[in-house]
Amino acid sequence: MPRTTAIVLAAGQGTRMKSKRAKVLHELCGRPMLHHVLDAALAAGVDDLVVVVGHGGDAVAASLTARYGAKARTALQDKQLGTGHAVSCAMSSVGDQAEVAMILCGDTPLVRSEDVAKLARAFDGQPADAELALLTCRVPDPTGYGRILRDAAGRVVAIREHKDATEAERAIDEINPAMYLVKVPFLRTALTRLSPNNAQGELYFTDVVAQAAERGAAIAVPVSDAGSLVGINDRIQLEAAEQALYARTAEDLRRRGVTVRGSARVDAGVVVEPDAILEHGVVLRGSTIVKSGAHIDVGSVLTDTVVEEDARVLPYSVSSRSRIGRGAQVGPFSHVRPDSDIGEQAHIGNFVETKKTVVRKGAKANHLAYLGDGDIGEGANVGAGTIFCNYDGFRKHKTEIGPGAFIGSDSQLVAPIKIGAGAYVATGTTVTKDVPDDALAIARQKQENKEGYASRLRARLKAGSGK
Ligand code: UD1
Ligand code: CA
């Protein structure tokens, strides 16, 4: 593939979003709509990206830097004088090495990467005088779109905008999705020849297509899924597009052997391996990876989390930036916070919160606990109600529990603290001193039983109450 730069048009106001945020930064499936387009371009082999922005493009620039680094930059179009003008504004940002430019719109997030890839390869095997290629599509209702005009031999000769079209031209159902591939030297001169002689008084990029047809050929690359070309202008369309994209992702996964129940939502960029199961209401976000045989049960929300083979996440658990080991079990109602590492076969049960804690192989904390900044040794057992007191109001401190240790229920471990291997912490102990290997730590008042005291107490209380 020749060296290719994508020029992505995104300077439109997006007024119908009724938002302070640039239209193309509104998200679907966990990613700005613009990024879906850019990802499709990069997947198609494009080398770098120029995004044309209007005023207030700083937020767009910041989002590009965060995700694409030096591969992406913005070009400013300060007045929206038309799509041809928008492309002109990008040209000074297109490097001298770029042989080909791919032109896309930033508000068509459903575009399929395989169609963009077809467009990217459109010059393969074509004569040298083919200067431009474009996607085309037949749609049931072409109203508003530019129509593809072909000659008697079926060659594309021009695009007619809806507002400039005759009745006969408006009857054409083959439309211009506004995605093109153009050779850069031709593009640079063609842009200088545009004029605003049209119904909208704009510089139409579509007039470049007629110039290419005159010079040699404009190659049509047909796309069959019209739904993949829709542009987003308001939040109703945004919602519809998101539903469509979730449905597409779920279907792709099912084809590859993942069970995805109807209401599970898998965001862009998430990886789910064959033979994993995603139950209803599961939401997978960010860079989450769910490996083969893992079962994510109803309503669990996993963000940037790796779930290893055969692990089970029981209903309504939440995990962020963490790892859940092979065969481990988390939930129901667990909260696994960033930098937790739940080891192989380990168990984290209901109302247990972990944060920056390693739970080693086979260790268990099955009920009601806060485990922050800890390291829990292999096979250790942490009883119900255990709290790692990790914070002194200024700094966080570490709790280390040796392998095979047993922490009795309702204990507080005041960090920094170390519990030795195989040690025993008696129920209800507040541990403030390290516990040696194999020792028993007990720190609570001795129990005293006063025989017959209960009925005497009741009688006294009853007399005092007047009942
Ligand atoms: C354009 C095409 C039309 C095509 C349709 C597909 C032209 C003249 N027409 O029409 O043939 O069927 O897209 O949706 O190109 N933009 C800028 N700066 C501008 C104008 C537009 O950045 O000055 C951006 C918009 O933000 C948008 C894209 O270009 O992302 C398309 O612009 P839009 O106004 O939607 O073009 P249409 O008139 O719909
Ligand atoms: Ca449009």
Side-chain angles (χ1 to χ4, degrees), residues 8-14 16 23-24 52-54 77 79-87 104-108 142 144-147 159-164 175-180 198 200 202-207 229-231 233:
V8 181
L9 307 189
Q13 294 283 322
R16 279 178 279 166
K23 177 172 88 170
V24 292
V52 181
V53 295
Q77 183 195 27
K79 274 199 204 114
Q80 270 88 72
L81 304 176
T83 50
H85 179 251
V87 175
L104 303 168
C105 293
D107 60 359
T108 56
Y145 285 104
R147 309 298 206 282
I159 291 169
R160 187 77 72 237
E161 288 307 292
H162 183 88
K163 286 184 178 149
D164 299 287
I175 60 103
N176 168 34
M179 303 185 202
Y180 320 85
N198 52 56
Q200 302 184 78
E202 291 183 353
L203 295 176
Y204 286 172
F205 182 77
T206 44
D207 292 345
L229 303 171
V230 294
N233 295 304

Side-chain angles (χ1 to χ4, degrees), residues 212-273:
E214 272 163 37
R215 252 181 88 121
I219 298 152
V221 179
V223 168
S224 51
D225 177 10
S228 69
L229 303 171
V230 294
I232 309 299
N233 295 304
D234 60 33
R235 295 182 200 237
I236 294 168
Q237 292 167 336
L238 181 68
E239 171 60 20
E242 186 176 65
Q243 296 291 348
L245 201 48
Y246 277 136
R248 189 195 288 175
T249 303
E251 269 177 33
D252 287 348
L253 289 172
R254 288 175 190 129
R255 250 179 238 116
R256 292 193 291 106
V258 180
T259 294
V260 186
R261 307 284 180 212
S263 59
R265 297 277 179 259
V266 179
D267 275 357
V270 168
V271 175
V272 188
E273 290 186 356

